[in-house]
Amino acid sequence: MRKTLLAICALTAVGVRADLVGPEAWFEVMGGNFRKDGLRLDLEAIKETGFSGIHFFHIGRPDTGVWPGCEEQVPCLSGKWDGMVEFLGAECERLGLALTVQNCPGWSQSGGPWVPLSACMREVVFARRDFSGGEGFALPAVPAQYADADSDWTDVAVLAFPTPLDDTGAALRPASVVTNGDERVYRFAEPVTVRTITLPGLHAWNSAYGYHAPWRRVSLEAKTADGWAEAVRTPLPTTSWRDYVRTFTLACDERTSDTWRYRVEHDYPILNYGEPTFYACARQTDWESKSGLVLRQLLREKTPWQDRRTWLKGSDIVDITGVRDWKVPAGRWTVLRIAHVNAKYVNAPAPEEATGWECDKLDPAGIEANFVGYVKRLKEGPLKGRMYGMMVDSWECFGQTWTPKMERYFRETNGYELRPWLPALFGWIVGSPEKTEKFLTDWRRTNGDLITKNYYGRMSELAHEHNLTSYFETAFGDIIHGDLLEYWKYSDAPMCEYWLPHDFKRKGSVGSYAFKPIRPCASAAHIYGKRRIVAEAFT
């Protein structure tokens, strides 16, 4: 299936050629399957059809392998590949087609073999260990999933605090469950106190309707002597199409019972039910989204009633970073060894030889490494004098939650220290739910501002330094938290995406009008005086 980049508005703009008035075509090389005669014929057909330019991508090898007539494969980034790209540029120049290049192989996002571990996307994580007073102290071990060299575990801080009430980190396991349609009744061997439940990633329930107004409502009730007592009742938020690897956490009014009733109401069919997992510990509702791991609608839920001993007191958090012989005080203590690791996101779908780490989006060094490794290599090499623009296509690499300078960036932006609040990034309630909510709001705003300035802003500077037009497709409000309008000020031609036709009732999903933030793209163009908007769309 062929995709085409359509020009919605064909007027001139700063950085956009005045003669670029027609639509532009997506031009994807698939694996090693291309030859010069094929490139020439395709480009001539594109020109004859009335297109004004192409956006060049090199996509990973298709499942069909080697195509007939392309038995001699052209590995991406090889000397022969450089020759093919040089030929592509010469043909575009001959035909008068503007040549724009995706900023890395694949269509997401900004990365490749040239991005070192020191400049890759990072994620903040933790290892936990609990101690009793007087017990010998030892640093929590690095979790197995982060023990490999590619994870590049790098310590940030070690924090200790009195273990909150009932906070063992372990789930409560029911002895039995009875299912009746959309209702489940869970029975435990003895009464349990429930303060938190988690559900699977919201996209997995029915991906076709993940983007629509809340269509699922869940409730949890505890059986008491007087009947069923409600612990929580709420709609579930709308979500993004990348919401399938994280849990969804719900804080509940504190109840104790051996029998619990969980019910789901829904407006559309559910393909995979979100079965709850029960916990006695207290956690912030939807901390996964509020900490920037995934994009979801932020529900304005009421603060549940819970024993305050389940929350952390900020004054009780002790920074023992670098302390090897810490004396564990009386009582029960939890120690968090907090670190940042390689998120292991790669540019995709790219040829294997051109696949590498996604660059850091929170620090300028990330996009600088990617730009030098690919865009500048082409601009000053095989496409010298023939490259018109640079684009960044779909953001499909989830969120980024750390960069080595994050503590400094946060302090400069918000005027207070990040470190005492780090447990809130993993769901703990620090101070109160309201105080935790305020911190997480500051956190998301800081994260979005860094991406806006240090990724998109720096990318635009690099493009203009090399006389290139910049195109940015949707990211904020699509996959990540942040200002939907601000980052497009750095793009010479703001870019969005829509997939038509669609059948809302049967398909939903990418056919939904809510799938991509199209209206904010148009609004940004008006706000910043951009005279041209582009959109990825099916022809």
Side-chain angles (χ1 to χ4, degrees):
M1 192 173 292
R2 180 171 295 176
K3 294 192 288 183
T4 298
L5 193 71
L6 297 179
I8 296 178
C9 178
L11 301 177
T12 61
V14 175
V16 178
R17 272 176 27 183
D19 61 337
L20 199 61
V21 294
E24 300 170 72
W26 236 236
F27 194 88
E28 296 182 354
V29 167
M30 308 295 291
N33 294 302
F34 64 116
R35 304 186 325 201
K36 288 185 177 180
D37 55 348
L39 293 176
R40 176 182 290 115
L41 289 170
D42 275 348
L43 292 171
E44 288 177 347
I46 287 170
K47 179 64 176 179
E48 290 170 5
T49 307
F51 289 88
S52 61
I54 66 166
H55 286 218
F56 169 65
F57 294 74
H58 196 150
I59 307 303
R61 186 181 305 280
D63 294 338
T64 51
V66 180
W67 295 350
C70 292
E71 286 78 10
E72 185 181 357
Q73 295 288 284
V74 182
C76 189
L77 308 176
S78 66
K80 186 172 183 181
W81 183 84
D82 283 350
M84 288 290 197
V85 172
E86 183 176 10
F87 176 81
L88 175 74
E91 285 296 287
C92 286
E93 183 178 50
R94 177 178 69 86
L95 296 168
L97 293 170
L99 174 57
T100 296
V101 175
Q102 159 68 356
N103 79 121
C104 70
W107 58 61
S108 177
Q109 170 83 37
S110 298
W114 42 83
V115 176
L117 280 172
S118 61
C120 71
M121 288 182 72
R122 312 292 293 186
E123 183 176 353
V124 62
V125 297
F126 73 97
R128 170 181 175 165
R129 185 171 176 180
D130 292 349
F131 298 87
S132 295
E135 184 179 351
F137 172 71
L139 201 63
V142 175
Q145 71 260 43
Y146 304 127
D148 60 300
D150 283 342
S151 289
D152 190 35
W153 175 283
T154 304
D155 287 313
V156 171
V158 181
L159 302 180
F161 47 82
T163 304
L165 179 66
D166 292 340
D167 194 335
T168 66
L172 303 169
R173 301 299 179 187
S176 66
V177 56
V178 176
T179 299
N180 181 19
D182 295 327
E183 178 180 292
R184 281 100 166 99
V185 175
Y186 297 87
R187 289 187 172 85
F188 293 80
E190 58 185 20
V192 296
T193 300
V194 174
R195 299 182 181 89
T196 301
I197 62 172
T198 63
L199 301 171
L202 299 176
H203 187 267
W205 293 52
N206 188 338
S207 61
Y209 300 105
Y211 321 100
H212 302 302
W215 59 275
R216 298 153 296 190
R217 296 159 294 280
V218 300
S219 63
L220 180 69
E221 300 165 300
K223 191 172 185 179
T224 69
D226 298 322
W228 293 101
E230 184 177 287
V232 66
R233 182 183 302 275
T234 181
L236 299 186
T238 54
T239 186
S240 65
W241 65 276
R242 293 300 250 180
D243 186 8
Y244 52 81
V245 297
R246 304 291 182 181
T247 56
F248 174 75
T249 295
L250 269 176
C252 309
D253 284 333
E254 184 174 308
R255 307 280 186 190
T256 301
S257 177
D258 62 359
T259 304
W260 296 80
R261 182 169 67 185
Y262 169 75
R263 292 192 286 188
V264 181
E265 301 172 77
H266 51 96
D267 302 326
Y268 304 113
I270 289 179
L271 301 182
N272 299 290
Y273 269 84
E275 306 292 351
T277 302
F278 300 83
Y279 294 89
C281 61
R283 293 293 184 268
Q284 190 83 351
T285 288
D286 199 12
W287 66 266
E288 301 92 339
S289 178
K290 293 173 181 177
S291 65
L293 290 172
V294 65
L295 178 66
R296 297 172 183 146
Q297 174 195 15
L298 297 176
L299 297 177
R300 304 303 178 191
E301 70 283 347
K302 69 180 182 67
T303 300
W305 182 89
Q306 295 178 347
D307 192 317
R308 294 192 177 201
R309 292 175 296 168
T310 62
W311 306 341
L312 303 185
K313 290 183 180 180
S315 57
D316 287 345
I317 297 175
V318 181
D319 186 349
I320 57 172
T321 306
V323 179
R324 296 180 178 274
D325 57 349
W326 183 58
K327 306 301 181 184
V328 182
R332 192 70 176 163
W333 284 76
T334 294
V335 174
L336 301 185
R337 180 181 179 181
I338 299 168
H340 60 89
V341 296
N342 177 7
K344 295 184 179 177
Y345 302 141
V346 297
N347 57 310
E352 182 178 357
E353 63 272 14
T355 298
W357 304 128
E358 274 289 341
C359 77
D360 188 343
K361 311 299 191 297
L362 303 177
D363 190 273
I367 190 57
E368 289 167 0
N370 183 69
F371 188 91
V372 170
Y374 190 70
V375 179
K376 186 176 180 181
R377 176 187 183 280
L378 293 177
K379 180 69 168 59
E380 297 182 354
L383 291 180
K384 187 172 185 178
R386 291 168 172 157
M387 190 170 164
Y388 164 68
M390 178 210 71
M391 67 167 295
V392 54
D393 190 27
S394 301
W395 183 297
E396 300 181 17
C397 50
F398 299 92
Q400 181 177 344
T401 57
W402 199 262
T403 188
K405 298 176 185 175
M406 179 59 90
E407 289 189 272
R408 191 193 91 190
Y409 286 150
F410 187 88
R411 180 176 60 253
E412 291 173 349
T413 300
N414 299 285
Y416 65 93
E417 295 295 332
L418 169 62
R419 187 166 296 190
W421 292 93
L422 287 175
L425 298 179
F426 313 115
W428 273 277
I429 296 169
V430 180
S432 69
E434 292 78 14
K435 291 179 180 179
T436 303
E437 187 79 21
K438 182 181 182 302
F439 158 71
L440 291 173
T441 300
D442 289 343
W443 169 260
R444 291 192 305 278
R445 185 184 62 250
T446 302
N447 188 287
D449 288 348
L450 291 175
I451 294 173
T452 296
K453 298 170 185 175
N454 292 345
Y455 176 61
Y456 288 107
R458 183 59 181 141
M459 194 186 319
S460 178
E461 290 176 353
L462 291 167
H464 293 164
E465 287 171 8
H466 291 81
N467 197 31
L468 295 172
T469 297
S470 62
Y471 297 78
F472 302 154
E473 200 173 289
T474 50
F476 296 114
D478 180 5
I479 302 297
I480 56 174
H481 290 274
D483 192 317
L484 277 70
L485 298 177
E486 186 179 6
Y487 77 114
W488 268 317
K489 73 183 177 184
Y490 295 112
S491 180
D492 295 314
M495 182 176 167
C496 56
E497 176 181 357
Y498 61 88
W499 293 20
L500 294 173
H502 73 272
D503 183 335
F504 170 80
K505 288 296 182 184
R506 288 196 308 110
K507 297 180 182 178
S509 190
V510 296
S512 166
Y513 286 115
F515 174 55
K516 296 282 183 175
I518 299 172
R519 288 171 178 162
C521 182
S523 295
H526 286 293
I527 290 170
Y528 299 115
K530 310 291 184 179
R531 302 300 299 279
R532 191 168 191 267
I533 306 172
V534 294
E536 176 187 348
F538 280 127
T539 55

